[in-house]
Amino acid sequence: MAECTTFDSLLEMGFDRNRAEKAVAHTGNQGIESAMDWLMEHENDPDIDEPYVPPAGDTLGTTEEQSQSPTEPSESTDVAEQEGDPKNPMSEEERKDQVKRLEELMKIRQEERRERERKEEIEREKQRRKQGQELLHVKQKLQDDEMKKLADHRRREKMEDKLAKQRVKEKIARDREERARKFGGGSSSTGLSSHPSEAPLQCPPENQEASPPKKDYDDCRIQVRLLDGSTLSTVFKAQEPLAAVRVYVQMNGANGQDFNLITPYPRRVYTDLDMEKPLCELGLVPSAVLVVTKK
């Protein structure tokens, strides 16, 4: 009788018959509240609407006998308290009151479940944000490390350029000293014989005065045409080596590819030795156009 009353109450509250049967069976007929709790916890199960199949050896009769067994006085007491004396069935008004009370209880339980799910969703969102921040920190650290490596690389290249410039200056100084020793040693022996030719030697300076003096440029504007057809343009110092232009191209458009630098007219492919030479020595002052080609 208790099982039927719980089952009927679930049907009156609008639950499907299969769901009501499963709720009563899986809760061991512990009352309407236990059945409602079970339904709310398992309402998203994929097989919730399938017909209930009792386990082997379990029948409605055995369930009724267990529910009426004297070894479970607490269950009988609870049923009696909730549903009244089985010998005195509830009136229609009492049944409606009970259904109304159970519906209110179900609403409370559903609200509690929604609140719990909302808190769980908030906690999951916090975890997602935390993981996103950690990932952002990792990316930022990788970028910082890459920038440090690039800065160290440029620092080493500048040092190498500086040493290369120093070697070029030392070579120029040695050449000057050698020329000074060479021309200084032969001036005394040719001093007397050179007097008759002093007059004709004065003519070339007149021609040189007629031509304008060559201007020394401090800056050099370089335009570089990349592999994809785009161009880069910037200004370098005239004394900077060609390696500075190569580093600029690597940082702004080479995309990690190895390449050569050439001048189209007249065509010239610059080698690794040319990278140590200043732009003015290579004839790229005051402006020049370089083309990037694949190696």
Side-chain angles (χ1 to χ4, degrees):
M1 180 66 70
E3 181 179 356
C4 293
T5 302
T6 302
F7 178 76
D8 293 341
S9 298
L10 292 174
L11 292 179
E12 289 183 6
M13 293 173 65
F15 288 104
D16 183 73
R17 183 181 185 85
N18 293 334
R19 296 194 179 195
E21 288 180 352
K22 288 184 177 181
V24 172
H26 284 88
T27 57
N29 196 24
Q30 295 296 320
I32 188 66
E33 293 187 13
S34 299
M36 289 171 54
D37 292 339
W38 187 92
L39 285 170
M40 285 186 290
E41 291 176 0
H42 296 81
E43 65 177 353
N44 295 323
D45 291 354
D47 60 345
I48 186 65
D49 292 321
E50 295 180 3
Y52 172 68
V53 178
D58 185 13
T59 61
L60 183 61
T62 55
T63 305
E64 291 179 353
E65 291 176 358
Q66 293 176 358
S67 63
Q68 296 176 3
S69 175
T71 58
E72 299 179 356
S74 58
E75 179 180 348
S76 300
T77 304
D78 294 339
V79 173
E81 291 178 355
Q82 294 178 4
E83 302 174 2
D85 189 356
K87 297 180 180 179
N88 298 322
M90 292 184 295
S91 63
E92 186 65 23
E93 184 177 356
E94 290 174 344
R95 182 179 294 274
K96 289 182 180 179
D97 291 340
Q98 183 184 22
V99 171
K100 183 178 180 181
R101 184 172 66 256
L102 293 176
E103 289 177 349
E104 293 177 355
L105 179 61
M106 185 177 65
K107 290 180 181 179
I108 294 174
R109 297 291 176 84
Q110 290 176 344
E111 184 65 27
E112 291 175 353
R113 187 187 60 179
R114 283 194 293 268
E115 181 65 20
R116 182 172 63 253
E117 291 176 350
R118 187 182 65 83
K119 291 181 179 180
E120 291 175 354
E121 180 64 25
I122 292 174
E123 187 64 26
R124 287 194 295 269
E125 181 65 23
K126 289 181 180 179
Q127 291 296 328
R128 284 195 294 268
R129 292 184 180 181
K130 183 179 179 181
Q131 293 175 356
Q133 291 177 355
E134 291 176 353
L135 181 60
L136 183 61
H137 291 161
V138 171
K139 290 183 178 179
Q140 186 65 38
K141 187 177 185 301
L142 292 176
Q143 291 178 357
D144 294 343
D145 293 341
E146 189 66 23
M147 291 299 295
K148 288 180 181 179
K149 290 180 181 178
L150 183 60
D152 293 339
H153 181 68
R154 292 204 63 184
R155 193 179 300 109
R156 286 194 299 270
E157 288 185 343
K158 287 183 179 180
M159 182 61 66
E160 292 175 358
D161 294 341
K162 185 177 180 181
L163 294 176
K165 290 180 181 179
Q166 186 66 27
R167 289 195 295 269
V168 171
K169 290 180 180 179
E170 292 176 355
K171 185 176 183 300
I172 293 174
R174 287 196 300 270
D175 292 343
R176 287 178 179 175
E177 291 177 359
E178 185 177 352
R179 286 196 299 270
R181 287 195 301 269
K182 183 176 180 180
F183 295 127
S187 60
S188 59
S189 59
T190 59
L192 296 176
S193 61
S194 63
H195 290 291
S197 61
E198 286 180 359
L201 291 175
Q202 298 297 327
C203 296
E206 294 179 0
N207 296 333
Q208 292 178 0
E209 290 178 0
S211 61
K214 186 176 180 180
K215 183 177 179 180
D216 293 333
Y217 293 93
D218 295 330
D219 296 328
C220 174
R221 177 171 291 278
I222 299 295
Q223 182 177 359
V224 182
R225 186 161 64 246
L226 302 177
L227 294 172
D228 59 359
S230 60
T231 59
L232 298 173
S233 180
T234 189
V235 177
F236 296 89
K237 293 295 182 182
Q239 296 298 326
E240 285 193 82
L242 185 59
V245 180
R246 182 179 180 85
V247 172
Y248 176 77
V249 175
Q250 288 175 339
M251 295 180 58
N252 293 275
N255 296 325
Q257 298 180 357
D258 200 4
F259 60 90
N260 287 327
L261 292 176
I262 67 171
T263 50
Y265 305 106
R267 181 178 175 82
R268 176 179 178 182
V269 180
Y270 294 99
T271 63
D272 294 337
L273 295 178
D274 294 329
M275 295 299 159
E276 298 182 358
K277 298 179 182 180
L279 299 177
C280 58
E281 184 177 337
L282 295 173
L284 301 177
V285 176
S287 63
V289 175
L290 299 176
V291 179
V292 175
T293 61
K294 293 183 179 180
K295 274 194 174 182

